[in-house]
Amino acid sequence: MESLKGKVVLVTGASAGIGEACVRAFAGAGAAVVAAARRRKRLEALAEELRKTGGRVLPLFLDVRDRACVDATLSALSPEWAAVDVLVNNAGLGRGLDKLHEGDPAEWEEMLDTNVKGLLFVTRRVLPGMVARGRGHVINIGSVAGRETYPGGGVYCASKFAVRGLTRALKMDLTGTSVRVTTVDPGMVQTEFSKVRFRGDEARAAAVYKNLEALRPEDVADAVVWAASRPARVDVTELVLMPTAQSGATLVHRGALKGG
Ligand code: NDP
Ligand code: 8X3
């Protein structure tokens, strides 16, 4: 295992769910973490909490969809934070579960702008430094939805298929450098994802996870930290994590598991 102590890690979508768990896990492993998202108060509270236990966390307020904001915010980082060793492209969301022919194009734009273009904007800004320094690791949070489709998931799935394609292409572009590329593709994780997808409809969001034990955000963070802490010669290119109760994008078991 390679130590993460003193490494600089940038996590997008750090104010909730998987991103927040990644911030906690990397800070706990001794990394200096840039925690980026839009919700200022949450990021400040997280940074403050982790500082109390010796964590080094810098809150960074940015909307990954806004290329000018991404460029300005990241280029304003002080030298101690700017040399990012590990970039976790996690910011993302789903909106609705409508059939494509009934879907809302504004929601499609929000998903594609965040999950695909946002990931590209941040990566474009951070990656040249990694290549120039001869070290770095880009970890994208994909999804089972980037490997299989499900009804009503068309544009969300397309965005995650894009993440998988971009991860593979990036790995090729970086051949001959020491920069590593990973996609971590989880199945269902209990976060605010469904609440966001259903625009605050708590009952509909709760139904998604009813009678099954979903992954927890810290399970995904564990996998991310594991990939980031392999020896420099090892590039974990793909990791797929499913709840034990889930066997595919459309196959979950609700209720007790046999022998569980
Ligand atoms: P959450 O809704 O809990 O967290 C999403 C995070 O993304 C928040 O911190 C939010 O912060 C941030 N975010 C959203 N839009 C933007 C934006 N425009 N700019 C910056 N940050 C943004 O969801 P999850 O933790 O579940 O999702 C994290 C990632 O994991 C996503 O890419 C998702 O697609 C993926 N995923 C989730 C699964 C699940 O079942 N939950 C399964 C597989 C993959 P803020 O609103 O403060 O900006
Ligand atoms: C997000 C979770 O279940 O919509 O990737 O694929 S799901």
Side-chain angles (χ1 to χ4, degrees):
M1 170 171 162
E2 203 126 291
S3 173
L4 292 166
K5 237 183 192 77
K7 292 255 170 88
V8 178
V9 179
L10 168 58
V11 180
T12 68
S15 60
I18 295 167
E20 179 185 335
C22 287
V23 174
R24 292 179 184 280
F26 278 111
V33 189
V34 184
R38 294 166 300 178
R39 281 171 292 179
R40 187 177 285 264
K41 279 195 181 145
R42 283 198 183 207
L43 291 179
E44 281 169 348
L46 179 63
E48 188 54 33
E49 181 201 323
L50 294 174
R51 267 185 219 125
K52 285 183 188 147
T53 52
R56 289 183 61 212
V57 177
L58 177 74
L60 195 73
F61 314 111
L62 65 79
D63 183 335
V64 297
R65 295 171 300 175
D66 180 343
R67 180 150 58 101
C69 164
V70 169
D71 287 348
T73 311
L74 293 181
S75 59
L77 284 173
S78 65
E80 87 180 286
W81 293 100
V84 174
D85 295 295
V86 181
L87 166 62
V88 183
N89 279 314
N90 162 78
L93 82 174
R95 286 290 195 200
L97 262 184
D98 297 319
K99 293 180 193 293
L100 200 75
H101 61 281
E102 294 165 352
D104 176 353
E107 292 189 334
W108 303 346
E109 282 184 324
E110 192 178 3
M111 287 186 270
L112 295 170
D113 285 351
T114 309
N115 303 358
V116 183
K117 287 165 69 182
L119 177 148
L120 285 169
F121 294 157
V122 174
T123 306
R124 180 65 182 87
R125 175 53 54 176
V126 172
L127 190 54
M130 291 182 175
V131 174
R133 288 187 295 277
R135 65 169 198 279
H137 195 160
V138 178
I139 302 179
N140 294 331
I141 305 300
S143 172
V144 63
R147 295 169 169 269
E148 297 172 50
T149 56
Y150 55 85
V155 177
Y156 179 73
C157 293
S159 76
K160 291 298 183 178
F161 270 74
V163 169
R164 185 147 179 248
L166 286 169
T167 308
R168 292 175 78 123
L170 186 57
K171 173 71 180 154
M172 293 181 137
D173 286 350
L174 292 168
T175 308
T177 77
S178 299
V179 181
R180 297 183 284 179
V181 188
T182 299
T183 181
V184 175
D185 296 351
M188 295 166 81
V189 190
Q190 190 143 9
T191 64
E192 294 173 11
F193 180 88
S194 293
K195 196 172 146 197
V196 170
R197 168 170 258 174
F198 302 127
R199 297 195 180 277
D201 183 336
E202 302 266 8
R204 200 172 171 198
V208 172
Y209 309 107
K210 196 169 175 197
N211 292 333
L212 70 85
E213 186 168 12
L215 295 171
R216 299 176 189 179
E218 53 269 31
D219 299 328
V220 183
D222 261 0
V224 171
V225 167
W226 181 80
S229 55
R230 291 311 86 208
R233 66 180 177 278
V234 180
D235 187 353
V236 179
T237 55
E238 302 190 4
L239 271 176
V240 183
L241 268 77
M242 298 288 259
T244 304
Q246 183 177 15
S247 305
T250 54
L251 185 56
V252 295
H253 177 81
R254 295 183 195 272
L257 299 177
K258 282 188 189 131

